[in-house]
Every structure is written in C-alpha cells, then in structure tokens.
Amino acid sequence: MDLNLKKHHNNLLFLPLGGSSEIGMNMNLYHLNGKWIMVDCGVGFAYNIPGIDMMTPDISFIKQYRNDLIAIILTHIHEDHMGAVQYLWEELKVPVYASNFGANFLRSKLTEFKLDKTVPIRIIDSSRPLNLNPFQIEFIGLTHSVPEMKALMIKTNKGNVLHTGDWKLDPNPVVGDVSEIDKIKEYGKNNEILAIICDSTNAVNKGHSRSEGELHNSLKELIINRNGLVGVTTFASNIARISTIAKIAKEVGRKVVLSGFSLQRLYEVGKKSGYFTEEFDFISDREIKFYDKKQILVIARCCQGEEMASTRKIASGIHPLINFSKGDLMIFSSKIIPGNEKKIFELFDLFAKRNIDIMTEKDHFVHVSGHPYEDELREMYSLAKPKIAIPVHGEFLHTKINCEIAKDCGIEKTIQIENGLAINLDRDRINECEVVGKVKTGYMGVNGKQLIDLKSNIIRERKKLQEAGVVIISLALNDSLKMISPFRVKSVGCYDLKNDSDIEDLIHKEITFFLKNKANELDIHGGFGIHILRKKHKKKKLRESRVIQEIEKSLRSKILRIFEDIIGKRPAIEIIIHISN
Ligand SMILES: [Zn+2]
Ligand SMILES: [Zn+2]
C-alpha cells in the first residue's frame, strides 16, 4: 500500500530508506506535520556490480519533499552513517548537524569533493535540545568504536522516540566519554519513551561486548616479543583502536607509521577535535628505511581487502615503502564484515604465500565490536522502558532476534521493519502504531564521483561486457549498400583472433549476404540509392535514420547467432555503419 501522506499529515512517522534489513547505508526519516528530518546518510558496500564498490540509498522519495526536509542529523562519523553526504547533499540542500568531531571529519571529507564551503554544517550542542520544529531533539552520548556517537531523543507531541545510533556499553572506551546512560534511565523511570529505534548488529551474540580498554593488554602481549616488523590493520575510522595501538608502540619502543591518507586524515581531525592529546612517536613511511624492523609498528587501513588500500599493497609486496617479509607479523584488528569474506581471505592468502604471520579475531583477542550484544540490549530495554521497539541496523535475522529480545524484556510491541515502510507512532494510540504505507526505495551506485541508478543501462551493459565481452563491427557502405572498403571488426574480451580466425570469415559472409538481400528488398539499386530513402527521414541525422538503424539491428541479431553457435555466448554487438555520400 502506497504511503498516503495527506492522510498522515499530522502523524509522527518513522520511515527508513536504508539500513533496515541490511547492513550499511543507514538513512532514517522522521515525519510530523508535513515536516521531515533525516537521521544519518550512509553508504554501503556493493557486491558483484562491475565498477561499483559503494552504494547509497535511492532518495527519490524524500527529494520530492526536500522543501519540507529541515535537516540531516548525523549520529557519528562511520561511513555507513555519513558516507553519502557528499553524493546526495546537492539533491537535498539542507543543513547538516553533527558533533564537533563529526563536523570536523565531515568537513575534511567534503574538501575532497569541493563541497566544504557549500554544505552548511552545524555543530550539535549536546548541553541543550535542538529545536527543529515540530521536532525537539536532545542528544545523548553513547559509547561506540568512535567518539561522540550521539543517540537522539526525538521529542514530539505524539511521543518521544529514542534513536540509538550505533552503541555499546563500554566502561573504558579509551577515546571519548562513557555512555550517558543515566539520561536514558531518567526517561525510562518516568515512562516517557514511546519507541526505541535500536542497533541490531550484534543481537545474535550472547553476553556482553568486550571493552576497548581490555584490548590493550592482549595486543601488547602479541607484539612485545616480536623481532620483525609488526603491522596492525583496522578500520580507518577507529580512532580508539589507533590510540590503543599507538600507546602500545610507545610502551614497547616502536615508532608508528600511519599508512594511507585516510588514517592520517583521521589523526589530524582527531587532534583538531581534542583527541590524541598524548605525544606519540609518529614517523612517515619514507623514514622506515632509517630504522631497524623491530623499531617500527605500521598501522594500515583497511582490513576488508579493498583493492587500493595499503594493507592489500603490503600483502602483495607492491607497497613502495613498506616491505613486509618472512617472519613479520600483520594483525587484523577488525571484524570480517559479512559479504567481504572472499576478499579478506584472499588477503590472508597473500600474506601466507609470503610467509608473513597473520593474526585475526578468529584466533586471537585482537578486536572488540562497537555494537551491543544481547545483555547490553536487555540492559537498554530495561532502562529505557519503551512501549515499542523497532530494531534497525542489521540484516533481517538480526532485527528479528532483536525483536525477540525486546519482547522477552517485556516490551509491549515490537515491529520488524524494512526499508521503505512507514510506521505511524502515537503514544495515545499504541494499538494503531503500525506500518501504514510503503514508499519507493532502491540503491544508487557510487561510480567514481557520480551516482548511477543500479537499474540503468550502464550497469546492464557492464554486466553484459563482463559476461561475454563486446564485438564492434565498422562498415563503410556506398549508396547501394555495397562495402567500399574491408569491414573492420574488433573484439574486446569475446574471442581470440588466433584461435577463432574462422569467425571473421563467417562474419564477412553473413554481412555480404545480408547487404545484398537488404539492397534487393529496399530496391535501392540503379540510382535510387539510400539517399532517396533517407529523404523520408530528412529531419534526422543520417546515423539515426530508421533505415540505418534497422540494418544495424538486423545485422546485429544475425551476427549474434554466429557467436551463439560457435562460442555459446551472447556478447554485446556494436555495429557502426558509415554511408558515403
Ligand atoms: Zn558505527
Ligand atoms: Zn553503523
């Protein structure tokens, strides 16, 4: 059922466009009295789409109401929450709110896209509510793997919604403040929370997530007795982990190399925002050669096997300045994100083939998650005491299990949501709090600096090329459709001329036969010529004339048949016909 916004004009609606029943691309809309706010604007990994590594949610729905969209509010700096701002802001053109660290980080990213002076970035003042009429927003700091993660208490005349963002309950987050759980407790005590929109990433994990602070000793133990080069690879945004590793390096007498632009940027932004106050011994990768291997600790991004990232270059032995060899160690201080397994295992293999030791979360305590395990979810539900739980930030299984945990904690109502579904929320009519409509959703692919629709011809054509290659045939014909010079054929990724030389003979025969028949059929011999036919379409350019198009189309299907018969594949066939005047 399509969402009827007229009917729900005065209703509080929650409507995710991304991040529900999927990991990544978090984008959540809230609506009341015809006004909207967007919470988070993230990207996600794309799989098996040629030339596309990242995606954003399709925002065509909210674009229609962009004049009523008041703000984009970012909970924290992770790519799945703010990575799409540079691609989508031009289409929305609204102020973007973030914490001080978030704003500094976003501005530095926007510089790359020459948008830093264009996008109005407003810094959140956590000490007082932000009034975005009809929404009043209070910010509540929760611990995560990055500092200044802000949960939102969205207060409205229809009830209060706690939008948690990504969180865990970590008594020692290393960088940043501990969770302001007392604020949530206070709301819960007074039964003031109508609904909680909650992180589900680790809902399947029993117990309590481990603390960032605990990791220090474990990593130090693994590094302290090594005599070779040591590397630690982690997410490029994990400021706490970088701080932990830099501290360990200092304690064990190693200098730290931050490999890659994104890590250096994070360090600069972190320092500017008041983090990294301790003096660490950083050197550049150009200086490595002046030291013994056992004096160096390399921090590299990224850990998900990305093609261009420094970890992959190190693994392949092609990094120009960082040279790992037999007996050196690379620690993967990160999680294997579902969907990235193949790329990551390829990376492990590259290290193994060169006899470089690796350690991962599978075999050592080298990583802690930034998301709540079951016990933390239970604690949150028991403190917040919401009437309704709507789990987000997870695949279907994660949100389903999070619903079960919420139910088990005695929460009156749980709603399992998917992208594009709008839920009506009203504290006076809990029974009517349900899905009330659906809007268009989908994905856009990040294609270099542009976005393209993943259902577009460009992607379809790329897939076809990937599958069977392309054959381009160029024909120069005279007025009577006779070839005036030998035709030219070029194969890209379709066949090999050395092994399949008979293919071109067949193409030649087919073309000659086809043109002869076509000329007879059109009766363009004896001076009438194709120019006569062309006159009928004189408003169109020659290349676009129907006659030429028709010839190209028929010839394409005949030549395609040759490839189907011989190779058993359907390549893309491009035929270019030039008619001499
Ligand atoms: Zn996060
Ligand atoms: Zn996230």
Side-chain angles (χ1 to χ4, degrees):
M1 155 187 51
D2 286 345
L3 176 65
N4 181 348
L5 263 183
K6 273 196 188 123
K7 186 176 160 195
H8 295 287
H9 185 268
N10 293 322
N11 292 354
L12 173 63
L13 301 175
F14 169 63
L15 166 54
L17 291 182
S20 287
S21 282
E22 68 187 358
I23 296 270
M25 284 176 285
N26 297 288
M27 181 178 281
N28 303 283
L29 296 172
Y30 289 89
H31 163 273
L32 182 62
N33 299 347
K35 297 289 175 195
W36 296 88
I37 52 171
M38 179 184 283
V39 180
D40 288 331
C41 184
V43 288
F45 290 110
Y47 301 102
N48 299 325
I49 305 171
I52 307 285
D53 293 327
M54 287 286 171
M55 301 188 291
T56 76
D58 178 344
I59 56 163
S60 46
F61 167 75
I62 190 63
K63 234 168 83 180
Q64 304 167 73
Y65 304 102
R66 75 173 199 190
N67 291 336
D68 297 315
L69 180 67
I70 312 168
I72 300 172
I73 304 164
L74 304 174
T75 56
H76 65 293
I77 69 156
H78 275 149
E79 286 291 293
D80 59 325
H81 296 259
M82 71 156 64
V85 174
Q86 64 267 33
Y87 305 116
L88 301 177
W89 185 84
E90 285 282 358
E91 298 188 62
L92 300 171
K93 296 201 165 128
V94 289
V96 181
Y97 290 78
S99 70
N100 180 45
F101 174 55
N104 287 336
F105 191 80
L106 179 64
R107 201 170 289 119
S108 113
K109 268 180 55 157
L110 291 178
T111 310
E112 276 175 58
F113 291 80
K114 299 192 171 63
L115 280 170
D116 51 316
K117 300 211 166 49
T118 319
V119 178
I121 303 175
R122 312 256 158 92
I123 295 175
I124 289 165
D125 177 358
S126 291
S127 65
R128 53 184 174 168
L130 171 66
N131 194 3
L132 298 172
N133 192 27
F135 306 95
Q136 265 230 332
I137 296 158
E138 191 185 322
F139 295 96
I140 300 173
L142 293 180
T143 47
H144 185 41
S145 49
V146 294
E148 298 183 21
M149 201 323 286
K150 301 290 180 190
L152 276 62
M153 184 67 79
I154 303 169
K155 299 177 173 179
T156 73
N157 59 4
K158 299 284 180 183
N160 300 336
V161 179
L162 174 59
H163 186 105
T164 67
D166 296 2
W167 62 279
K168 67 190 283 191
L169 298 177
D170 190 342
N172 182 9
V174 178
V175 175
D177 300 323
V178 293
S179 293
E180 296 175 305
I181 204 73
D182 285 347
K183 286 190 183 174
I184 296 175
K185 203 170 164 182
E186 197 59 29
Y187 281 103
K189 209 166 74 187
N190 302 322
N191 289 314
E192 286 181 282
I193 301 178
L194 166 63
I196 184 169
I197 314 292
C198 183
D199 182 353
S200 308
T201 317
N202 280 339
V204 294
N205 295 19
K206 301 274 177 216
H208 197 292
S209 67
R210 294 178 81 169
S211 166
E212 186 69 34
E214 281 181 61
L215 203 58
H216 178 276
N217 288 350
S218 172
L219 282 171
K220 189 174 170 183
E221 286 286 300
L222 299 173
I223 294 170
I224 196 162
N225 293 321
R226 301 291 302 201
N227 286 320
L229 197 53
V230 173
V232 184
T233 177
T234 190
F235 297 106
S237 58
N238 198 332
I239 190 166
R241 193 66 44 83
I242 292 160
S243 188
T244 301
I245 300 160
K247 262 190 199 136
I248 294 169
K250 197 171 162 184
E251 287 161 12
V252 302
R254 287 177 184 255
K255 300 196 180 300
V256 179
V257 176
L258 285 178
S259 173
F261 169 70
S262 45
L263 279 170
Q264 285 156 14
R265 176 173 67 191
L266 181 78
Y267 178 72
E268 292 305 325
V269 173
K271 221 170 158 51
K272 190 176 165 191
S273 310
Y275 302 106
F276 294 116
T277 45
E278 195 176 332
E279 279 304 310
F280 294 121
D281 213 352
F282 287 108
I283 58 165
S284 81
D285 47 11
R286 292 181 192 284
E287 294 170 278
I288 293 178
K289 59 181 180 217
F290 301 122
Y291 295 89
D292 192 272
K293 276 188 161 190
K294 62 174 182 274
Q295 293 176 289
I296 303 289
L297 196 157
V298 176
I299 305 179
R301 83 141 208 140
C302 183
C303 36
Q304 300 298 308
E306 294 91 329
E307 284 299 327
M308 300 309 289
S310 57
T311 306
R312 197 170 181 100
K313 288 186 192 160
I314 293 169
S316 316
I318 57 166
H319 196 291
L321 300 164
I322 303 174
N323 184 15
F324 274 62
S325 55
K326 188 177 175 184
D328 293 341
L329 167 70
M330 181 60 88
I331 299 173
F332 284 76
S333 181
S334 55
K335 178 186 152 85
I336 298 173
I337 294 180
N340 290 347
E341 291 89 346
K342 194 170 182 302
K343 274 189 191 167
I344 296 171
F345 282 101
E346 268 172 26
L347 204 54
F348 292 168
D349 261 14
L350 286 170
F351 280 111
K353 278 180 188 161
R354 297 175 53 231
N355 292 314
I356 297 161
D357 300 337
I358 56 165
M359 292 177 183
T360 75
E361 61 160 354
K362 300 268 177 223
D363 42 62
H364 291 81
F365 177 39
V366 292
H367 175 63
V368 294
S369 171
H371 302 271
Y373 284 24
E374 181 178 331
D375 287 356
E376 289 152 284
L377 290 168
R378 286 181 182 276
E379 193 172 339
M380 177 62 88
Y381 292 137
S382 66
L383 291 175
K385 295 188 175 57
K387 305 261 184 311
I388 305 167
I390 307 171
V392 295
H393 203 288
E395 306 273 4
F396 190 86
L397 175 71
H398 304 119
T399 52
K400 185 167 181 257
I401 289 178
N402 200 354
C403 277
E404 284 163 13
I405 295 169
K407 258 184 224 151
D408 199 47
C409 292
I411 291 173
E412 205 175 319
K413 193 165 194 168
T414 60
I415 304 175
Q416 194 169 5
I417 192 154
E418 287 179 34
N419 292 336
L421 298 181
I423 296 176
N424 178 31
L425 293 169
D426 190 333
R427 68 180 153 209
D428 298 324
R429 290 180 296 166
I430 302 287
N431 286 346
E432 290 171 34
C433 292
E434 56 193 23
V435 173
V436 291
K438 192 170 172 33
V439 306
K440 182 181 178 243
T441 54
Y443 304 107
M444 301 293 284
V446 176
N447 187 43
K449 291 192 169 181
Q450 287 177 324
L451 284 186
I452 50 175
D453 189 339
L454 293 184
K455 292 189 193 111
S456 73
N457 269 343
I458 300 176
I459 300 296
R460 253 199 303 277
E461 283 164 5
R462 272 188 204 173
K463 283 188 174 162
K464 204 164 179 190
L465 299 187
Q466 191 183 34
E467 178 61 27
V470 58
V471 177
I472 303 158
I473 296 170
S474 166
L475 291 171
L477 306 179
N478 69 10
D479 208 11
S480 306
L481 294 188
K482 283 212 173 77
M483 278 192 271
I484 52 173
S485 59
F487 76 96
R488 294 187 64 196
V489 56
K490 185 161 173 51
S491 149
V492 182
C494 179
Y495 69 95
D496 183 352
L497 190 58
K498 277 186 219 146
N499 300 327
D500 303 300
S501 56
D502 50 338
I503 286 183
E504 287 186 12
D505 294 339
L506 286 171
I507 292 175
H508 185 255
K509 273 185 202 148
E510 187 65 53
I511 292 173
T512 318
F513 183 72
F514 173 83
L515 290 175
K516 199 173 160 203
N517 279 349
K518 197 72 191 171
N520 285 337
E521 184 193 309
L522 295 171
D523 193 18
I524 54 177
H525 301 297
F528 287 106
I530 203 162
H531 295 298
I532 306 291
L533 291 166
R534 205 187 303 149
K535 272 183 190 164
K536 292 180 189 167
H537 310 285
K538 58 187 170 198
K539 286 186 184 165
K540 296 186 178 178
K541 288 179 191 168
L542 171 66
R543 184 65 188 80
E544 290 167 354
S545 84
R546 272 191 224 158
V547 177
I548 302 296
Q549 275 185 5
E550 194 210 308
I551 293 172
E552 287 175 350
K553 195 176 160 199
S554 314
L555 207 44
R556 193 178 297 135
S557 70
K558 292 197 181 303
I559 287 168
L560 189 57
R561 218 165 291 147
I562 295 175
F563 285 97
E564 280 179 319
D565 287 349
I566 296 179
I567 304 178
K569 284 267 189 187
R570 291 172 62 85
I573 308 275
E574 284 302 319
I575 296 180
I576 304 159
I577 294 179
H578 310 271
I579 303 281
S580 74
N581 288 310

